[in-house]
Structures are given as C-alpha cells and as structure tokens.
Amino acid sequence: MKKYISINEKIDVFKKKSITVDGDKSLSIRFVILASLSKGKCYASNILKSEDVISAINCIKKLGIKIKLKNKNCEIHGNGLFGYKYKKNLTLDAGNSGTAARLLCSVLIDTNHKIKITGDSSLKKRDMNRVIRPLKLFGAKFTSKKGRLPVYINGSKILKPIKFKENLGSAQCKSAVLLASLKTSGKTILSCKPSRNHTELMFKNVLKLPIKTKKLNKYDHIQINGLDEFKSFNYKIPGDISSASFFIVLTLLSKNKSLTIKNVNINPSRTGIIKILNKMGAKIKFFNKKMYKGENLADIFVKSNKKLKPISLDPKLNSSAIDEFLLIFLVSCTCNGVSTFKKLSELNKKESKRLDWGIKILTMMGIKTKKIKNDGIKIWGKPNLKLQGNFTIKNFLKDHRIFMTTTIASLALGGNWKIYSTDSFQTSFPSFIKILKNLGAKIKE
Ligand code: S3P
C-alpha cells in the first residue's frame, strides 16, 4: 500500500514568525562533486541531506572517495582531478537526481573501464543526450538506448577542449561541459542560454580558477582552461530558494499572515519566482543581504496578499524560475484575470511532465486552463478562490514538487486532500512536513 497524507483544514495562524529551510540542492551536489575532484580535505556545513544528495554521495564513494557525513556536516577527501579509483564493471545509481546523473557523466569522461550510470524509473525517462552530445566532442564514448539511462561511458585519456553552443538553458548541461573542460589541456569556449550559474561562481570564487564569463544579449559566453589540479576548500551551504518558495506561496495565498525565511540563496539566476510574484503584486522583500563566495544571500519577508494580478510572462524569466512553475500556476489560479506562460517545453522534461500535471491539478481544482502551442499554458484565475470537496493526487512518478505544491494548495485554499507518495519530498526537502507542522499545519500521515 502506498502511503498518503490527508489534509482537511487550511492553516489557521502561523505559530512562528520565521523559519529556515534546508540547504540548497544544486550547491550541495556541486560541493560533493567538486570536493571529490580537489586535492585534500573539504568541509561543508548545512549540506542538504536529501535523497538526491545522498545518491550523489553514494556514487562518489563508489569512485574511491572517502566521505563522512555527520548531521549536516560533510567531510570529503578529494583525490585530485584524475584520482578516482574503482573496480571494473562499476554501476553508479543516481536515483532520482538528474543533476547527479548528468554531472557524473561529465566527471567520468576519462575513465579507463566502462562505467554504467543508471537511475530510478523517473530518471530513466529523462533525456541524457543533452550531456552525451557535448561530452562525446571531448573524446569520450557513450552508449545508450535513445539517450536514456542506463548510459555506458568509455572514457579517453586524450581529451580535447571544445567549442559548444548550449541552446536549452540547462544549467546541468552547461555544468557538465564546464566540469569536463577541466580535464583537457586547452581552452573550452561555451555559449549558453542563461541558466543558474552556481558552477561558474564556485569555479571563480571558491576554486579560484581563471574562468571568464560575459553576459551578451541572448547568450552567456564562458571561457575556461583545463588544469592539473585544484586545492581543497570549505563551503557553507545556504538555504534553497526552491524550498523557500513553498512557504512564500503558502503565506501569500493564506489570510493575514507574514513570514521571514532566513539565510536563503537569492542568486539572481534563481530568483525568477520572486520577480514574477512581485510583478503580480506580492511585495516580497529581501533583508540582511550578504555576499558569500559569489552567491547573494538574504532573509526573505513575505505577507499575505489577496489582490494579486494576472501575468503574461516574458519567457526570459522562465529559466530563473524553472523549478517553481507549479507554484506560479497555483498563484495564477487566485488572480483576477488570465495569466499566460509560454516556451515551457523544459517543464515536461523534469521528474514528471510538470506542464501536463499542472493542467491536470488545476482542472481538478475547477480552474479553466488551455495548453498553448504544446509548450505554454493560459490560466483563468478566480479571485477569492476557496476549494471544497475531495481531491486525490497520485501516480505522479513521486515528483517531489507535485507532492509539495499540492500540500501548499490544500493548506492555503482548503478542501479535503489525499496526497500519495509521502516519501517523495525526501528527494529535495526532508524538513518540509516538519516545518509545516511547526507552523501549525494539521497533516495526518
Ligand atoms: C539544476 C538545474 C535545473 C533544475 C534542477 C537543478 C542544477 O535543471 O531544474 O532541479 O542543479 O543544475 P536543468 O539544467 O535541466 O534546467
């Protein structure tokens, strides 16, 4: 029997004025991978102990790297850029993590034995060709069926730098190329559609590598040289804005509430949700702004707002809010008018087909939607939306963001909800239910 949670009551009053959310997933996985390639001991505090990060850690351990994880502290003994040690016939299982699977393909382009990379049933449906194509150009061999996992890597010791144009706006694809470029002896030149820039910031501000980045009109240009080794480093992982977003939207859509979410990474390549919600009239504010190793951090303050405006979103903002669209759709349901979102084909390539799931859930909630050009959506909002009746959410490939978004919908808008796959939020945000309960949510498991 699959487990579900049931929620039959909106959240009444918040029992807390401020919360912290778990550490950033993108930065935690990047820490694990970069630390394993460094020369010496690396430490991270506040690492995200979610299933995706644990999958990345387990894969890296199988590559002969010592990792100690205690509470949220992680110590990794890097063995250098070319220092992985492993047996023949190695299989690495990235679980549900697209970031881990794609970045592992990249750091293994010099392997001398064939390595198999696989994942869970959701990850096996996702496109790996986006990284296989550029990684082959470096000189490694990849085999797969139609670019899906399992992928087999036969590396090469003669790797050449490449010139590559990244057209999807995928940070995983860009990061895979950047990591691979380190193993070459020359200059790799990348031109990419904008996407989260944590890898570039870590290269520059943590590893002190001479990476050159330039923002041009539609593309970011990056130049990076291969090297022999880089030193070990320490990192304090800040809160994840994607996790904070659930609480931002819960507060915004509830009645007479306010909340501060402390120490969150507000890197501009990740704050699309804030920009979008503020354009809709939300007035979300940042306090105690700080810089940490190239990343922008702040406390986020949000208040309830029942008078949000619909939006016709400029697709330029899509990539900086790519993991938050289900929440943005939910907010659009409560606006007085029609919201339009376009060029969202990447959404259907996530842990589940999120654009299609967004339409299904909104329809179930009695909201009129229309799919436009197969990669967009129009949403007819209903101001003062109150949900009544029964809602069951299941068979969503355990997509963590569907589980968490529908939980927020129930707590903010009402109705009697049964939401299946209660372990799905462990993928990215293990403290999700605990924080909700501490705020006063009544959730039966
Ligand atoms: C991530 C990049 C994004 C995002 C994912 C994490 C990363 O994916 O959706 O959750 O850490 O680089 P894409 O690179 O496919 O856009």
Side-chain angles (χ1 to χ4, degrees):
M1 265 282 278
K2 279 186 191 165
K3 286 189 227 146
Y4 61 84
I5 55 164
S6 60
I7 299 173
N8 307 313
E9 258 177 79
K10 285 198 245 180
I11 197 158
D12 186 17
V13 275
F14 280 170
K15 291 187 184 156
K16 284 179 179 285
K17 285 195 173 121
S18 72
I19 58 167
T20 54
V21 292
D22 291 339
D24 188 287
K25 177 156 74 80
S26 292
L27 287 172
S28 296
I29 295 178
R30 281 161 176 74
F31 167 78
V32 171
I33 291 179
L34 287 173
S36 75
L37 296 169
S38 76
K39 193 83 195 154
K41 265 189 210 173
C42 299
Y43 298 92
S45 57
N46 197 39
I47 195 160
L48 171 65
K49 276 174 79 180
S50 78
E51 282 173 0
D52 272 10
V53 181
I54 301 292
S55 296
I57 288 179
N58 288 338
C59 291
I60 293 292
K61 276 185 177 169
K62 280 192 161 184
L63 294 166
I65 301 296
K66 260 202 228 151
I67 303 185
K68 282 189 210 155
L69 193 58
K70 202 174 170 201
N71 302 321
K72 291 180 182 174
N73 299 317
C74 184
E75 182 185 304
I76 299 186
H77 296 230
N79 201 24
L81 198 48
F82 304 94
Y84 290 152
K85 289 196 175 75
Y86 42 86
K87 292 190 189 123
K88 281 187 181 167
N89 301 320
L90 183 67
T91 297
L92 300 177
D93 186 345
N96 192 248
S97 175
T99 311
R102 290 171 177 147
L103 300 194
L104 280 166
C105 283
S106 150
V107 295
L108 293 170
I109 57 165
D110 60 331
T111 164
N112 39 19
H113 308 304
K114 190 170 173 179
I115 294 185
K116 174 178 170 184
I117 299 190
T118 191
D120 71 5
S121 56
S122 148
L123 193 55
K124 279 184 181 153
K125 291 193 166 72
R126 297 178 71 186
D127 168 44
M128 296 297 289
N129 267 338
R130 60 181 59 200
V131 292
I132 293 176
R133 244 178 256 126
L135 294 177
K136 273 183 173 172
L137 301 176
F138 284 99
K141 287 198 183 81
F142 286 83
T143 42
S144 70
K145 273 194 196 137
K146 293 187 181 161
R148 299 288 185 267
L149 293 177
V151 163
Y152 297 86
I153 310 173
N154 253 318
S156 167
K157 294 289 170 205
I158 312 156
L159 296 166
K160 47 184 188 300
I162 65 166
K163 264 193 181 171
F164 184 68
K165 192 162 189 176
E166 197 285 319
N167 278 314
L168 296 169
S170 160
Q172 293 171 357
C173 184
K174 169 176 68 180
S175 302
V177 174
L178 287 172
L179 285 165
S181 72
L182 298 180
K183 300 204 180 209
T184 70
S185 52
K187 187 189 281 172
T188 286
I189 301 175
L190 254 166
S191 159
C192 8
K193 278 247 186 91
S195 62
R196 63 188 68 186
N197 64 349
H198 303 304
T199 307
E200 299 93 294
L201 291 179
M202 285 183 97
F203 276 19
K204 196 177 205 159
N205 302 289
V206 181
L207 310 181
K208 312 282 180 205
L209 307 182
I211 180 172
K212 284 188 193 148
T213 54
K214 197 157 132 198
K215 276 206 161 300
L216 294 181
N217 188 16
K218 285 193 176 152
Y219 284 83
D220 293 344
H221 285 259
I222 308 178
Q223 289 189 12
I224 174 90
N225 282 307
L227 64 152
D228 294 328
E229 64 177 44
F230 58 85
K231 281 191 199 147
S232 57
F233 60 94
N234 299 336
Y235 204 88
K236 290 186 212 159
I237 314 269
D240 194 321
I241 187 145
S242 296
S243 299
S245 298
F246 295 101
F247 294 90
I248 292 172
V249 170
L250 173 66
T251 310
L252 200 59
L253 299 189
S254 301
K255 224 171 145 185
N256 299 330
K257 293 186 180 55
S258 64
L259 189 68
T260 299
I261 306 152
K262 289 194 166 162
N263 192 38
V264 181
N265 186 350
I266 55 151
N267 177 322
S269 68
R270 295 283 300 280
T271 45
I273 176 129
I274 309 287
K275 288 175 202 141
I276 294 166
L277 295 179
N278 280 347
K279 277 177 194 285
M280 295 169 94
K283 299 195 184 110
I284 298 160
K285 293 199 171 81
F286 296 140
F287 291 102
N288 297 327
K289 286 194 200 167
K290 280 181 249 177
M291 282 300 283
Y292 175 72
K293 301 196 179 184
E295 296 285 354
N296 295 266
L297 316 184
D299 298 342
I300 301 176
F301 178 75
V302 53
K303 267 193 201 167
S304 302
N305 188 330
K306 287 278 173 192
K307 291 201 175 118
L308 295 168
K309 296 176 288 194
I311 190 164
S312 183
L313 188 67
D314 181 349
K316 267 194 196 152
L317 284 174
N318 287 356
S319 97
S320 60
I322 196 64
D323 289 341
E324 283 67 66
F325 271 97
L326 289 171
L327 284 168
I328 294 165
F329 295 162
L330 184 64
V331 173
S332 308
C333 292
T334 69
C335 297
N336 190 5
V338 185
S339 294
T340 311
F341 304 93
K342 289 182 182 159
K343 297 195 177 165
L344 283 172
S345 57
E346 278 296 296
L347 264 198
N348 270 347
K349 297 184 184 145
K350 296 292 173 190
E351 287 83 331
S352 72
K353 291 190 165 193
R354 285 192 188 143
L355 182 58
D356 296 353
W357 265 101
I359 293 173
K360 256 190 231 176
I361 294 165
L362 267 45
T363 308
M364 194 191 280
M365 286 165 45
I367 297 293
K368 182 178 162 190
T369 63
K370 190 178 167 204
K371 200 164 176 183
I372 34 177
K373 285 193 179 164
N374 226 23
D375 65 353
I377 179 175
K378 260 186 196 297
I379 299 171
W380 278 259
K382 286 187 183 170
N384 303 315
L385 176 67
K386 285 190 188 84
L387 297 179
Q388 279 165 348
N390 299 326
F391 304 92
T392 302
I393 306 289
K394 58 174 167 186
N395 301 328
F396 50 88
L397 285 174
K398 291 183 159 196
D399 182 342
H400 51 132
R401 301 208 191 276
I402 291 187
F403 179 91
M404 293 189 280
T405 305
T406 48
T407 301
I408 296 304
S410 65
L411 291 168
L413 303 173
N416 302 318
W417 292 70
K418 257 189 195 175
I419 308 167
Y420 278 78
S421 299
T422 49
D423 51 351
S424 50
F425 63 92
Q426 300 290 350
T427 302
S428 63
F429 190 3
S431 307
F432 177 68
I433 295 284
K434 196 171 114 199
I435 299 173
L436 280 174
K437 285 185 173 171
N438 285 343
L439 276 177
K442 293 189 181 124
I443 300 172
K444 283 181 234 139
E445 281 165 83

